[in-house]
Amino acid sequence: MLKLGYKYHTKQSMWLVSQRVTIGSHADCDFVIKDPSILPEHVDLIVKDNRVTLVELTQRGTTWVNDVPVVSSCQLKVGDTIKLGHIELILSDPKYIQPPIELPKKAVSGWFLKVVDRSLPEKTYPVNDTLLVGRAIDCDIKINSPYLSRRHAELCLLEDVLYIKDLSSINGTFVNDEPVAEQRLRSGDRIRLDQLEFMIIGPPDNQHNTLRRSTLKVEYTRTTQKTGTGEATSRESSNPEYSIQQPQSAHVAKAGQFFTKPEVKNNKLPIWSILTVIVSGGGLGYWLFNLAKPFVMKFLHY
């Protein structure tokens, strides 16, 4: 028994048990797809003896099988991809083990859409090509809000520049509280779809610009000194911000010397100065003795 389902997810699928299966957006269809690109009755699948025939009902050229447009009808086989408007379906047979269909890998751009509204689960979505937000089942971010349009807004990345486009929504698209129809986005911008708030995270605007390195002034100071042997020695010093030229020493050491003995002045007194002090001191002492002698004798007499 064959099975019909979405190509890139398994949210909805059905077994082809009836001889006729109608696919469309009307609630009375056997396989209902709620999308603006799907007509009320889009195609019919005629099932007979495990063979499926697709009958196109729109006559508008909006049906493809394996990227080939269907004019009126065509025969389907297991593994065929059926594209109705923007929706892709696949016909499968569970009896056969089929390799999983992998989504095409996209390069990482560095742009993200972060949910900041408290009414929604906190999550961050990468934006690598286009990101469709709305209530439709094929939206990249599907939000069940009655005030959000089925296809409300689309984020598009063109040459590392991110844009947002309002898809004729009822309650509008806002960037930093300003209503927009199409607007370039920058990192830190706040997006509001109706009352649902998001934030843009991305690289800075100058990420592709070549930064100018600040130049440092380098000065060289050349100092020449003469050694005791008569040979001249030179040295160079540099500093990235400033240069300090050390003054040359007044005393130049001889080769092999590390320290210089300081000069000590001769502070010895001459002999005649010492004799003068002794004589003067002796005469003063003798005078004081004679002056005090009468008082001492008088004291002893009493």
Side-chain angles (χ1 to χ4, degrees):
M1 185 178 296
L2 301 180
K3 189 176 183 179
L4 181 68
Y6 287 90
K7 184 174 182 179
Y8 294 118
H9 57 80
T10 58
K11 293 182 179 180
Q12 182 182 356
S13 60
M14 68 174 300
W15 295 97
L16 300 182
V17 295
S18 303
Q19 294 183 353
R20 179 177 178 179
V21 177
T22 303
I23 304 174
S25 61
H26 197 273
D28 294 335
C29 292
D30 302 302
F31 195 96
V32 180
I33 302 176
K34 293 295 185 181
D35 187 88
S37 64
I38 305 300
L39 296 179
E41 292 185 355
H42 206 102
V43 296
D44 277 344
L45 298 182
I46 309 300
V47 183
K48 185 177 180 180
D49 298 332
N50 214 25
R51 298 174 61 184
V52 181
T53 302
L54 183 144
V55 180
E56 219 276 335
L57 303 178
T58 65
Q59 303 298 325
R60 294 185 180 181
T62 57
T63 303
W64 295 266
V65 173
N66 299 327
D67 295 330
V68 178
V70 178
V71 178
S72 59
S73 64
C74 71
Q75 191 75 29
L76 299 179
K77 60 181 182 296
V78 175
D80 282 349
T81 298
I82 307 166
K83 185 176 181 182
L84 309 178
H86 301 291
I87 307 299
E88 288 186 286
L89 307 175
I90 189 170
L91 185 66
S92 61
D93 189 348
K95 292 189 300 182
Y96 301 97
I97 300 177
Q98 300 177 358
I101 299 175
E102 297 182 358
L103 290 171
K105 296 182 179 180
K106 300 177 181 178
V108 178
S109 65
W111 289 97
F112 300 90
L113 180 67
K114 182 179 180 180
V115 179
V116 297
D117 196 273
R118 295 184 178 180
S119 64
L120 299 176
E122 184 177 352
K123 192 173 181 181
T124 302
Y125 299 91
V127 185
N128 298 322
D129 187 11
T130 59
L131 195 69
L132 185 62
V133 185
R135 289 190 295 118
I137 194 172
D138 66 324
C139 289
D140 300 301
I141 303 178
K142 183 177 180 297
I143 302 175
N144 292 322
S145 172
Y147 301 102
L148 207 64
S149 299
R150 295 183 183 277
R151 298 166 67 87
H152 195 103
E154 183 181 35
L155 281 78
C156 182
L157 189 63
L158 298 175
E159 297 181 355
D160 296 331
V161 179
L162 187 62
Y163 297 89
I164 188 170
K165 182 178 181 181
D166 182 76
L167 302 179
S168 302
S169 63
I170 300 299
N171 293 312
T173 300
F174 302 83
V175 176
N176 299 325
D177 294 328
E178 295 292 334
V180 297
E182 186 172 354
Q183 174 74 32
R184 178 186 176 182
L185 299 176
R186 291 176 172 83
S187 182
D189 284 347
R190 300 186 72 87
I191 307 299
R192 182 161 56 85
L193 308 180
D194 179 43
Q195 297 297 328
L196 303 178
E197 294 186 0
F198 303 83
M199 187 176 68
I200 296 297
I201 302 175
D205 290 342
N206 61 347
Q207 66 166 342
H208 297 297
N209 297 342
T210 302
L211 300 180
R212 181 182 296 276
R213 187 180 297 278
S214 57
T215 56
L216 300 178
K217 184 178 180 181
V218 180
E219 295 181 358
Y220 294 92
T221 302
R222 187 179 182 90
T223 305
T224 305
Q225 292 183 350
K226 293 183 179 180
T227 62
T229 59
E231 297 179 356
T233 61
S234 63
R235 59 184 178 183
E236 293 183 356
S237 62
S238 64
N239 194 301
E241 295 181 357
Y242 54 87
S243 63
I244 300 178
Q245 184 175 358
Q246 298 182 356
Q248 297 182 4
S249 175
H251 176 79
V252 181
K254 294 183 179 181
Q257 289 185 347
F258 295 95
F259 301 99
T260 303
K261 294 182 180 181
E263 295 182 0
V264 180
K265 295 182 179 180
N266 188 5
N267 294 327
K268 294 182 181 180
L269 296 176
I271 297 176
W272 64 269
S273 299
I274 298 175
L275 293 177
T276 303
V277 173
I278 294 175
V279 172
S280 299
L284 180 61
Y286 181 76
W287 181 77
L288 290 175
F289 176 76
N290 291 331
L291 182 64
K293 184 177 179 181
F295 297 99
V296 173
M297 296 299 295
K298 186 177 180 179
F299 177 75
L300 293 176
H301 180 73
Y302 286 103

